[in-house]
Amino acid sequence: MPEGANPVADYELGLRLLNARATQRVLGSLGDPYALVLRGADDPYPLYAAIRERGPIYHSTTGSWVTAAPEVIAEVLADPRWRMSGPDGSPVAEQPLPFYGYGTLGAEADEHMRLHAHWRPLVDPEALAAHRKTVERECLARLDRVAGGDLMADYAWPVATAATGALLGVPAAALPRYAECCAGAEALPDSLLAAQPLALVRQIEDAVAGLDGLFGGAPGTPDGTERPDRAVRVLLSAAAVPATAHLVGNAVHALLAEPGRWAALCRDPDLASAAVAETLRYDPPVQVEIRVAAAPVELAGTDLAAGSHLVMISAAAGRDGARHPEPDRFRLDRQAESEPLTFAGGLHHLPVAPLVRAQAEVALRILAEARPNLRPSGAPVYRRRAPVVRGPVELPVLGLGET
């Protein structure tokens, strides 16, 4: 057992997490589609359709209100009464199935104002234009030495890590530790909704602490209120690196799933931006947004009390047939939405969204130019209990190491 570990605390937390997972399984077995989402599925979109059929909003047996209606999601995202934390800014009380309302760094308006000056220079248009050159170099360098056949482990994750690390000034010697911490924090958003195994929870804690340490934090030092630049770098590392890797993985999986799609991109690599936009509609890396009512509010004809938990299945909006013709088809010629609901969910996405899109566009374009013979060699593997973050753990391909 690690030095300083508390076996009693670990036992109690582990038992609580185990009970929560068991309860979610039971509620899913009784037919609650949102509880089934929490359990995890390789293809969650049929479950999203079942949620949509329950109306614009419904009260899940898990204790949360749930919506997959695009108009309701857009209304909530524009309403300041819906926050990432409780009405007084503190973590919200737990529900029968714990809804971990810890909030997200930089999500609220006051946090946004405090951090804005520190993240804006990193992702303004001029900075991103220069950063695209860095991403391109990292992609080409990775392809020059790739030897495996897993698109995620051999391309998407290394490129996302190296490119984001370069933007944030991570020294080359620290990149292996940085990559380890970014991967270790991948399940953080999922842990806020779906109880994870104790070992994974401890891994997430260690990973976030490791990122903080890499950017200048140390045990016993003041928290991020005195170092907003460090807080921004931890946020971008924990959020943008996994989202970039998953966006690339989801895009490549969709492009390889139907003959002709990958070939079309290879013929015109400038379609990479269209491929990223279509992936954000069809299979985005962030599937769910979470909010808490800071005051009593009426939503979709339903009166909700302050402190009510709302889970918005933002990924379902992209498969809504009323908004998108042939919603279950991936099409490079589709007219992209000007403001997709993915990455529209709050102030904490403002620094993440432009960075993720830019990095994914470059990664796809370079891959299409350099590996026209890329093809699938097996089914993707997904994590379980991942209701928020979606992307393959493994994506077997052939042709990745070809020149």
Side-chain angles (χ1 to χ4, degrees), residues 141-306:
R142 186 65 198 173
L143 288 173
D144 280 345
R145 60 181 184 269
V146 70
D150 179 0
L151 185 103
M152 302 306 294
D154 297 317
Y155 184 71
W157 272 100
V159 164
T161 301
T164 308
L167 179 71
L168 301 180
V170 177
L175 270 177
R177 173 60 175 158
Y178 180 71
E180 179 185 3
C181 291
C182 290
E186 174 190 9
L188 173 59
D190 299 310
S191 71
L192 305 182
L193 275 182
Q196 305 293 321
L198 176 62
L200 182 54
V201 171
R202 294 307 189 207
Q203 172 188 297
I204 294 168
E205 292 176 343
D206 291 345
V208 174
L211 288 170
D212 191 55
L214 284 171
F215 293 117
T221 59
D223 63 22
T225 58
E226 300 301 321
R227 288 289 309 277
D229 58 326
R230 190 174 84 225
V232 165
R233 281 165 168 75
V234 173
L235 167 66
L236 287 173
S237 301
V241 171
T244 298
H246 293 146
L247 182 53
V248 172
N250 291 349
V252 171
H253 177 49
L255 287 162
L256 295 179
E258 183 176 300
R261 288 178 187 163
W262 182 250
L265 180 61
C266 293
R267 287 193 300 271
D268 184 2
D270 287 339
L271 286 173
S273 59
V276 166
E278 177 68 343
T279 305
L280 289 174
R281 177 203 72 83
Y282 178 79
D283 195 14
V286 178
Q287 303 258 302
V288 170
E289 286 290 337
I290 310 160
R291 291 295 183 274
V292 181
V297 62
E298 180 183 331
L299 186 65
T302 301
D303 292 324
L304 302 180

Side-chain angles (χ1 to χ4, degrees), residues 347-395:
L347 300 172
H348 61 299
H349 282 316
L350 288 177
V352 174
L355 176 59
V356 169
R357 293 188 71 151
Q359 293 185 155
E361 287 173 4
V362 175
L364 276 181
R365 177 175 61 80
I366 295 298
L367 189 64
E369 291 174 345
R371 298 296 187 266
N373 293 324
L374 196 72
R375 53 206 183 275
S377 66
V381 177
Y382 293 93
R383 280 193 304 113
R384 287 292 179 261
R385 310 197 63 74
V388 179
V389 174
R390 177 165 167 82
V393 176
E394 299 175 8
L395 184 56

Side-chain angles (χ1 to χ4, degrees), residues 73 75-92 99-113 192-193 289-297 299 304-312 345-348:
I73 296 173
E75 178 183 344
V76 170
L77 295 179
D79 189 339
R81 292 175 296 176
W82 289 99
R83 298 173 54 89
M84 293 291 294
S85 58
D88 62 353
S90 62
V92 298
F99 177 104
Y100 298 104
Y102 300 140
T104 301
L105 184 61
E108 311 295 4
D110 53 350
E111 282 292 289
H112 168 249
M113 294 304 296
L192 305 182
L193 275 182
E289 286 290 337
I290 310 160
R291 291 295 183 274
V292 181
V297 62
L299 186 65
L304 302 180
S308 295
H309 307 157
L310 180 66
V311 177
M312 295 171 284
L347 300 172
H348 61 299

